[in-house]
């Protein structure tokens, strides 16, 4: 016996609603304006009925091809090859930035004194499911950007400092890596956040699908 629609987890219903919106927009069934408006409403919806209304006039539903393309786009990038065990990021009276496409080692240690550092996992390639970031900082600032689909844990000891985690850490897709952030920060700050929101990712994904379908 199927579970009643209103008894299903709302996050699951929200994801399916968004998938259907992306599918219909990418095939030119709804306009860009309607897609973004409905996408905003889907992300803000708190009731099943609200989500149902957003797609009640849309017959096209995601298929296996869509699911595969979504998995490739939204899952963390995994690569083959030898895993580097550790990497050091040193920022003393200076700034240091690790960003772009890079291979994530199993452990990263950040030494920062009177400086700033940026660690950006947005487009990074993971080769193992668990990554540890160790922080040793004083009078410094550290920004860490993570994809929304990873899971996170933080254990930073602050002395006259702060640690702020703004990342939603969804981690619901397959092979979601776990990033563990730990260490000590004296008279400094650690900020963990997402560079691109999930809405921005869905809009970019929908536009890329639309371009693909229009070229065929």
């Amino acid at each position: 016996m199927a579970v009643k629609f209103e008894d299903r987890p709302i996050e699951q219903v929200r994801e399916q609603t968004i998938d259907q919106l992306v599918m219909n927009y990418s095939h030119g069934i709804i306009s860009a304006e309607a897609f973004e408006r409905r996408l905003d409403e889907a992300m803000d919806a708190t009731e099943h009925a609200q989500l149902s209304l957003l797609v009640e006039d849309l017959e096209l539903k995601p298929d296996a091809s869509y699911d595969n393309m979504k998995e490739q786009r939204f899952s963390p990038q995994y690569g083959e090859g030898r895993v580097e065990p550790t990497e050091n990021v040193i920022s003393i009276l200076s700034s240091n930035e690790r960003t772009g496409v890079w291979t994530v080692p199993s452990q990263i240690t950040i030494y920062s004194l009177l400086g700033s550092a940026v660690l950006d996992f947005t487009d990074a390639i993971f080769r193992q499911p668990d990554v540890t970031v160790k922080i040793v900082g004083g009078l410094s600032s550290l920004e860490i950007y993570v994809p929304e689909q990873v899971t996170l844990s933080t254990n930073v000891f602050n002395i006259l400092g702060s640690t702020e985690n703004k990342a939603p850490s969804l981690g619901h897709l397959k092979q979601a890596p776990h990033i563990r952030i730990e260490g000590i920060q004296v008279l400094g700050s650690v900020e963990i956040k997402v560079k691109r929101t999930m809405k921005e990712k869905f809009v970019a994904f929908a536009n890329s699908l639309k371009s693909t379908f229009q070229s065929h």
Side-chain angles (χ1 to χ4, degrees), residues 47-68:
E47 298 179 3
H48 292 68
Q50 294 173 295
L51 294 167
S52 179
L53 287 172
L54 295 174
V55 293
E56 65 175 357
D57 58 340
L58 304 177
E59 296 183 1
L60 190 61
K61 294 186 177 181
D63 53 18
S65 176
Y66 172 90
D67 291 339
N68 289 335

Side-chain angles (χ1 to χ4, degrees), residues 160-174:
L160 297 176
S162 65
T163 297
E164 188 172 5
N165 185 358
K166 296 180 179 179
S169 188
L170 302 180
H172 66 283
L173 298 175
K174 294 179 181 178

Side-chain angles (χ1 to χ4, degrees), residues 136-153:
V136 181
L139 292 167
S140 60
S141 64
L142 170 62
E143 291 181 299
I144 300 176
Y145 294 98
V146 298
E148 279 188 319
Q149 59 268 31
V150 305
T151 58
L152 280 169
S153 61

Side-chain angles (χ1 to χ4, degrees), residues 25-77:
Y25 167 67
S26 63
H27 282 77
I29 296 172
I30 57 175
S31 67
E33 293 78 10
F35 169 63
E36 292 207 33
R37 172 174 50 79
R38 295 190 190 197
L39 181 59
D40 283 335
E41 292 176 11
M43 289 187 162
D44 292 337
T46 57
E47 298 179 3
H48 292 68
Q50 294 173 295
L51 294 167
S52 179
L53 287 172
L54 295 174
V55 293
E56 65 175 357
D57 58 340
L58 304 177
E59 296 183 1
L60 190 61
K61 294 186 177 181
D63 53 18
S65 176
Y66 172 90
D67 291 339
N68 289 335
M69 288 186 285
K70 179 186 175 185
E71 184 75 20
Q72 292 174 6
R73 173 61 69 93
F74 287 89
S75 292
Q77 298 185 63

Side-chain angles (χ1 to χ4, degrees), residues 52-168:
S52 179
L53 287 172
L54 295 174
V55 293
E56 65 175 357
D57 58 340
L58 304 177
E59 296 183 1
L60 190 61
K61 294 186 177 181
D63 53 18
S65 176
Y66 172 90
D67 291 339
N68 289 335
M69 288 186 285
K70 179 186 175 185
E71 184 75 20
Q72 292 174 6
R73 173 61 69 93
F74 287 89
S75 292
Q77 298 185 63
Y78 275 86
E80 300 293 334
R82 186 170 66 91
V83 177
E84 293 296 332
T86 62
E87 179 174 325
N88 294 330
V89 177
I90 301 173
S91 177
I92 299 176
L93 290 169
S94 61
S95 61
N96 203 329
E97 186 172 329
R98 195 73 166 92
T99 187
V101 179
W102 57 290
T103 301
V104 180
S106 57
Q107 181 176 305
I108 303 168
T109 303
I110 301 174
Y111 301 96
S112 184
L113 178 63
L114 292 167
S116 63
V118 175
L119 195 61
D120 188 351
F121 291 98
T122 304
D123 298 312
I125 298 172
F126 293 87
R127 285 183 176 161
Q128 65 282 318
D130 295 297
V131 175
T132 300
V133 177
K134 293 191 174 182
I135 301 168
V136 181
L139 292 167
S140 60
S141 64
L142 170 62
E143 291 181 299
I144 300 176
Y145 294 98
V146 298
E148 279 188 319
Q149 59 268 31
V150 305
T151 58
L152 280 169
S153 61
T154 59
N155 184 22
V156 179
F157 181 60
N158 294 288
I159 301 175
L160 297 176
S162 65
T163 297
E164 188 172 5
N165 185 358
K166 296 180 179 179

